């Protein structure tokens, strides 16, 4: 033991991932002690935050002990060895409950690891447990979980964003320095913005979807959360890369995201401000922080230009036809016959009745809403009018991106139109909830990488995020720009935004 005292524990949990790894490598604390500190933090704070659905104390401590043993034996370890991580409950982990925030999968323990999980284990990252989420990743507030909502650490009466709200809350609440989320229409970037942390959606196909329980197969993408751009890049590098078990996986080298995050230089870079992702409808403090950060990029030597992406205005309705259509197909597998919940199997009821009762009891209102919408959009006589037309709009959005990237190296916009809203405020207004994804959906439809970085506080004292978008497989460009902004803001204020967060 290294002699860590109770007074050191608060310091340990507030370290970023690089600092945590350095502490372990230097012998200042063992991986087990670091893991215990974070488990203690979870025990202290999760009643208020509800970031986690399952804590794997024994598994986490065993993984940490293995890291300490490897270090003692002189084995070469990766840059994130021993660093704790929170895992969104949509990724399978062998023997660990995986519910996707739904009653229909209550108690299911998958017999295999997702590729993301396998790569985390290979990098000696310590997985603390599974985080709360909107059911089957359908939502923008983490209020659609069958197991109750998650709170935002900046104000526990407010939402953390969604669907990866538990993963974002865990990082912002100092329960883990790293976490994994998934992004279908903004479910990493929007909660990152609302919680004042960094979150990245890699290029579609850049991170394997094997073992990621599907919501919308042409959109879903796992990605990293962290408190700094460099931490995010290090985690991105761990989980990315080709996987032959995923037919959509890109067989190409991982972009040099860590190198870009360490460089953080935008001198000569062309920054495109998207005209259609601005104007009316944005909270005053969000618009002000965004404009200030665009000016800052110009001061750092970037060339700021305005670009027009005229079909972005149709992204929101197109998404809410494409994603529900794919969801209605993917969720058909939850039929009470193979795994998960089974209701009404009294020995008399037929298969269809058991299936109907199970799906009625197992799926929540938002999931049912999207299944019904998607089934309608795919039905005979409506397919071309709705789903087919939405896919045509998707093509136009992809063309908008191609044209914009001829004028700019990266594109920027606010990540979300507002800061975090009160729990329950939009629960009965799904259209208002959907509008929270206004800025993030275009890059999801195009499959291009995008990330959110914290850029300050709005007039209500809550975090604001800037979204940085790059061309496909040019993920390093967004890390380069993000690191430059982060460094400049830290030099001006003397701290990272998350360092101002209260416990």
């Amino acid at each position: 033991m290294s002699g860590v005292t109770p007074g050191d524990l608060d310091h340990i949990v507030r370290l970023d991932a690089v600092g945590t790894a350095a502490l372990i490598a230097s012998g200042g604390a063992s991986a087990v002690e670091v893991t215990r500190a974070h488990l203690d933090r979870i025990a202290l704070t999760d009643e208020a935050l509800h970031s986690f659905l399952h804590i794997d104390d024994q598994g986490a401590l065993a993984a940490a002990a293995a890291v300490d043993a490897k270090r003692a034996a002189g084995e070469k370890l990766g840059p994130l060895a021993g660093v704790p991580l929170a895992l969104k409950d949509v990724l399978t982990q062998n023997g660990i409950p995986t519910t996707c925030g739904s009653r229909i999968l209550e108690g299911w323990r998958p017999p295999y690891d997702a590729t993301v999980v396998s790569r985390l284990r290979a990098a000696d990252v310590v997985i603390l447990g599974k985080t709360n989420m909107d059911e089957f990743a359908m939502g923008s507030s983490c209020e659609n979980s069958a197991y109750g909502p998650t709170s935002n650490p900046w104000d526990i009466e407010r939402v953390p964003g969604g669907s990866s709200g538990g993963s974002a809350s865990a990082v912002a609440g100092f329960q883990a320095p790293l976490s994994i989320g998934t992004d279908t229409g903004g479910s990493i970037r929007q909660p990152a913005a609302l919680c004042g942390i960094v979150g990245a959606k890699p290029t579609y196909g850049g991170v394997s979807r094997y073992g990621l329980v599907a919501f919308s197969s042409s959109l879903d993408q796992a990605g990293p959360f962290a408190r700094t751009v460099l931490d995010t890049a290090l985690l991105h590098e761990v989980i990315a890369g080709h996987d032959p078990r995923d037919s959509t996986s890109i067989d190409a080298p991982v972009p040099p995201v860590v190198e870009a995050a360490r460089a953080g230089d935008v001198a000569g870079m062309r920054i495109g401000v998207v005209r259609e992702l601005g104007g009316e409808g944005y909270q005053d403090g969000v618009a002000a922080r965004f404009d200030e950060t665009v000016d800052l990029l110009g001061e750092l030597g970037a060339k700021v230009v305005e670009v027009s992406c005229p079909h972005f205005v149709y992204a929101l309705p197109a998404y809410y036809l494409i994603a529900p259509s794919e969801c209605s197909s993917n969720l058909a597998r939850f039929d009470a016959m193979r795994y998960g919940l089974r209701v009404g199997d009294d020995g008399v009821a037929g298969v269809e009745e058991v299936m109907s009762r199970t799906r009625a009891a197992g799926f929540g209102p938002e999931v049912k809403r999207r299944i019904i919408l998607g089934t309608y959009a795919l039905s005979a006589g409506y397919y071309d009018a709705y789903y087919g037309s939405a896919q045509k709009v998707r093509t136009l959005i992809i063309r908008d991106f191609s044209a914009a990237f001829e004028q700019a190296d990266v594109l920027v916009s606010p990540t979300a139109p507002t800061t975090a809203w009160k729990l329950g405020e939009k629960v009965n207004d799904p259209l208002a909830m959907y509008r929270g994804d206004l800025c993030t959906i275009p890059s999801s439809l195009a499959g291009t990488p995008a990330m959110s970085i914290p850029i300050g506080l709005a007039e209500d004292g809550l975090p604001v995020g800037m979204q940085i978008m790059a061309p496909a497989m040019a993920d390093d460009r967004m890390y380069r720009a993000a690191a430059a902004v982060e460094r400049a803001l830290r030099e001006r204020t003397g701290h990272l935004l998350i360092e101002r967060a209260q416990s």
Side-chain angles (χ1 to χ4, degrees):
M1 299 291 288
S2 60
V4 173
T5 66
D8 296 325
L9 298 183
D10 188 62
H11 169 69
I12 289 173
V13 299
R14 290 177 184 273
L15 291 171
D16 59 22
V18 169
T20 302
L23 180 71
I24 296 169
S26 68
S30 67
V32 167
E33 288 167 331
V34 167
T35 298
R36 282 187 177 138
H38 285 87
L39 291 171
D40 288 347
R41 173 72 178 179
I42 293 167
L44 179 67
T45 61
D46 209 51
E47 183 176 351
L49 296 180
H50 192 38
S51 302
F52 285 85
L53 293 179
H54 178 78
I55 307 297
D56 184 20
D57 302 68
Q58 293 184 348
L61 290 169
V67 171
D68 290 334
K70 288 181 179 180
R71 194 173 300 283
E75 294 186 33
K76 184 177 180 180
L77 295 170
L80 296 179
V83 178
L85 174 140
L87 183 69
K88 186 177 181 179
D89 199 32
V90 73
L91 288 151
T92 59
Q93 187 178 357
N94 190 358
I96 302 299
T98 300
T99 69
C100 298
S102 179
R103 291 289 181 195
I104 208 160
L105 277 176
E106 192 170 50
W108 182 57
R109 293 176 181 259
Y112 67 101
D113 281 339
T115 295
V116 166
V117 173
S118 298
R119 289 178 175 170
L120 291 170
R121 293 190 196 278
D124 292 306
V125 173
V126 175
I127 302 173
L128 297 171
K130 308 296 284 295
T131 57
N132 198 16
M133 56 181 283
D134 286 301
E135 185 179 7
F136 284 103
M138 298 180 199
S140 302
S141 66
C142 213
E143 294 173 284
N144 292 328
S145 170
Y147 304 98
T150 293
S151 291
N152 191 317
W154 287 81
D155 179 351
I156 61 172
E157 295 183 356
R158 294 180 183 269
V159 302
S163 63
S164 305
S167 292
S169 177
V171 172
F174 302 102
Q175 295 176 324
L178 299 172
S179 67
I180 296 290
T182 62
D183 193 308
T184 304
S187 291
I188 290 174
R189 290 161 286 159
Q190 184 251 24
L194 269 53
C195 288
I197 59 174
V198 183
K201 180 191 83 71
T203 297
Y204 178 80
V207 175
S208 173
R209 291 189 303 112
Y210 178 78
L212 193 168
V213 180
F215 157 23
S216 181
S217 300
S218 73
L219 297 164
D220 298 339
Q221 186 61 79
F225 285 108
R227 295 185 204 124
T228 72
V229 173
L230 178 57
D231 284 359
T232 309
L234 287 165
L235 183 54
H236 184 147
E237 189 173 70
V238 165
I239 63 174
H242 178 61
D243 179 10
R245 293 178 294 184
D246 174 7
S247 62
T248 61
S249 178
I250 297 172
D251 189 2
V254 178
V257 293
V258 173
E259 179 184 337
R262 293 190 191 280
D265 178 16
V266 292
M269 181 180 278
R270 298 171 301 164
I271 307 290
V273 178
V274 182
R275 181 187 307 157
E276 288 74 15
L277 298 182
E280 296 181 2
Y282 291 82
Q283 185 177 324
D284 289 344
V286 170
R289 297 296 85 75
F290 175 72
D291 290 343
E292 291 164 3
T293 308
V294 170
D295 290 342
L296 175 61
L297 284 162
E299 294 172 17
L300 295 174
K303 179 182 179 182
V304 178
V305 297
E306 184 180 73
V307 299
S308 178
C309 297
H311 298 98
F312 279 20
V313 297
Y314 305 114
L316 193 67
Y319 173 86
Y320 279 102
L321 284 169
I322 293 169
S325 296
E326 295 185 4
C327 124
S328 72
S329 177
N330 279 322
L331 268 60
R333 72 192 68 180
F334 301 106
D335 56 6
M337 299 297 116
R338 285 167 283 194
Y339 38 67
L341 185 70
R342 180 178 294 181
V343 174
D345 186 7
D346 56 7
V348 177
V351 169
E352 288 187 5
E353 186 173 354
V354 171
M355 186 185 305
S356 177
R357 290 179 182 178
T358 299
R359 288 168 70 84
F363 289 139
E366 182 62 26
V367 172
K368 290 175 182 174
R369 182 184 293 119
R370 298 199 192 191
I371 289 174
I372 291 169
L373 177 61
T375 303
Y376 181 81
L378 292 175
S379 60
Y382 296 100
Y383 181 98
D384 289 334
Y386 293 109
Y387 182 75
S389 295
Q391 290 288 18
K392 292 175 183 177
V393 170
R394 187 179 197 171
T395 299
L396 295 174
I397 290 168
I398 292 170
R399 290 176 181 171
D400 280 355
F401 269 113
S402 296
F405 285 128
E406 290 179 1
Q407 303 172 58
D409 299 307
V410 298
L411 307 179
V412 295
S413 75
T415 306
T418 69
T419 58
W421 56 92
K422 293 276 189 177
L423 287 161
E425 184 178 325
K426 300 182 181 180
V427 166
N428 296 319
D429 189 352
L431 292 180
M433 193 82 77
Y434 296 165
R435 284 194 290 270
D437 298 329
L438 181 71
C439 299
T440 55
I441 281 175
S443 63
S444 293
L445 290 172
T448 52
M451 68 188 299
S452 178
I453 58 169
I455 55 172
L457 302 176
E459 72 282 359
D460 53 13
L462 295 171
V464 175
M466 169 185 267
Q467 178 178 220
I468 305 173
M469 299 165 275
M473 293 306 289
D475 304 51
D476 51 310
R477 289 190 201 175
M478 65 185 188
Y479 279 98
R480 179 180 159 198
V485 170
E486 179 185 73
R487 183 179 303 155
L489 289 175
R490 189 167 197 172
E491 288 173 353
R492 290 190 175 191
T493 62
H495 56 74
L496 290 173
L497 181 65
I498 193 61
E499 291 168 353
R500 293 185 57 177
Q502 299 300 308
S503 59

